Amino acid sequence: EDQVTQSPEALRLQEGESSSLNCSYTVSGLRGLFWYRQDPGKGPEFLFTLYSAGEEKEKERLKATLTKKESFLHITAPKPEDSATYLCAVPPTKGAQKLVFGQGTRLTINP
Amino acid sequence: NAGVMQNPRHLVRRRGQEARLRCSPMKGHSHVYWYRQLPEEGLKFMVYLQKENIIDESGMPKERFSAEFPKEGPSILRIQQVVRGDSAAYFCASSGDTGELFFGEGSRLTVL
């Protein structure tokens, strides 16, 4: 069964304290790995797509990287406004175009 | 350029009533997806539609739930005879041909 597992479930950091979030997946023949940010009461906001091992993408204080079995979302010198739930998702091994989501990492940045 | 539009944002129904949630995709997008998010849980796929066609409904409960995306007008997720367990946030997403899904702000259903 296709699975997407994110860790940790929750993470509290002080402002400026860098860290990484992990997303591991079990799908075969990866057709892209997607990162989203979700604020409370809002819909997920698209951040990045990664397609091949070794690929990296950056946006402000966020950098996403991809290996053959997992992806990392690195957060450098975070600010309180980076507090959100971060979701990763992959298309399933078989079947139509859709995304399978992990449970998310709830990130809190304290000032 | 409007994003994915969902309405209503909040809906309250009593047990046994019907709930209809509407979704207009982003301009130029022909693929629509519905997801459900229960409190403190992840996003669960329900159904994937293109105009006038249901492509994948593998995540849709077999009873009481239906979805459509007519030739004209928004996509509609319909829940008949709602029960308390249907209380959740329902998100619609749309995509073009690149695969990225863009989500609306969601419709939050509360069943009393």
Side-chain angles (χ1 to χ4, degrees):
Chain A
E1 182 183 346
D2 297 326
Q3 281 201 328
V4 180
T5 304
Q6 293 188 245
S7 62
E9 286 187 16
L11 180 62
R12 284 185 176 272
L13 300 171
Q14 290 298 122
E15 185 172 359
E17 182 184 359
S18 301
S19 188
S20 296
L21 314 181
N22 177 264
C23 171
S24 62
Y25 54 90
T26 60
V27 297
S28 302
L30 186 69
R31 294 175 284 145
L33 185 139
F34 300 77
W35 281 99
Y36 288 81
R37 167 190 171 132
Q38 186 174 24
D39 292 296
K42 302 282 189 179
E45 175 189 348
F46 171 73
L47 292 174
F48 305 109
T49 311
L50 302 165
Y51 288 103
S52 55
E55 187 175 359
E56 298 183 353
K57 292 228 175 127
E58 288 189 62
K59 181 179 181 180
E60 296 182 356
R61 294 174 292 282
L62 300 176
K63 182 169 80 172
T65 62
L66 182 64
T67 71
K68 286 188 177 179
K69 284 297 176 189
E70 58 190 349
S71 177
F72 293 93
L73 185 65
H74 308 277
I75 302 176
T76 302
K79 298 182 178 182
E81 53 262 43
D82 295 321
S83 297
T85 295
Y86 290 86
L87 303 166
C88 74
V90 297
T93 301
K94 295 179 182 178
Q97 178 178 322
K98 65 185 179 186
L99 293 180
V100 177
F101 280 83
Q103 293 290 91
T105 293
R106 191 168 60 253
L107 176 66
T108 304
I109 309 298
N110 295 315
Chain B
N1 185 19
V4 177
M5 304 300 291
Q6 289 189 249
N7 67 82
R9 291 293 312 279
H10 301 275
L11 183 63
V12 178
R13 286 287 179 266
R14 297 191 180 278
R15 281 177 294 170
Q17 292 184 320
E18 179 179 289
R20 284 194 182 216
L21 310 178
R22 289 176 290 278
C23 169
S24 296
M26 283 180 71
K27 188 175 181 181
H29 285 185
S30 58
H31 308 271
V32 167
Y33 312 78
W34 286 94
Y35 282 78
R36 178 163 64 176
Q37 189 172 44
L38 293 167
E40 304 303 320
E41 292 192 15
L43 284 161
K44 300 298 183 187
F45 169 79
M46 298 180 75
V47 62
Y48 161 42
L49 311 103
Q50 294 180 15
K51 283 284 187 183
E52 299 185 282
N53 283 305
I54 296 174
I55 308 301
D56 181 347
E57 56 182 349
S58 58
M60 193 89 103
K62 294 288 185 279
E63 297 178 352
R64 302 188 297 109
F65 285 72
S66 62
E68 63 176 5
F69 189 15
K71 187 177 180 181
E72 301 291 337
S75 175
I76 296 176
L77 179 67
R78 182 182 178 203
I79 311 172
Q80 295 178 289
Q81 299 176 316
V82 296
V83 300
R84 289 226 173 99
D86 297 332
S87 295
Y90 292 83
F91 290 97
C92 172
S94 70
S95 72
D97 295 329
T98 57
E100 290 97 358
L101 270 58
F102 294 88
F103 284 83
E105 296 287 50
S107 292
R108 280 152 186 83
L109 172 65
T110 301
V111 180
L112 301 178

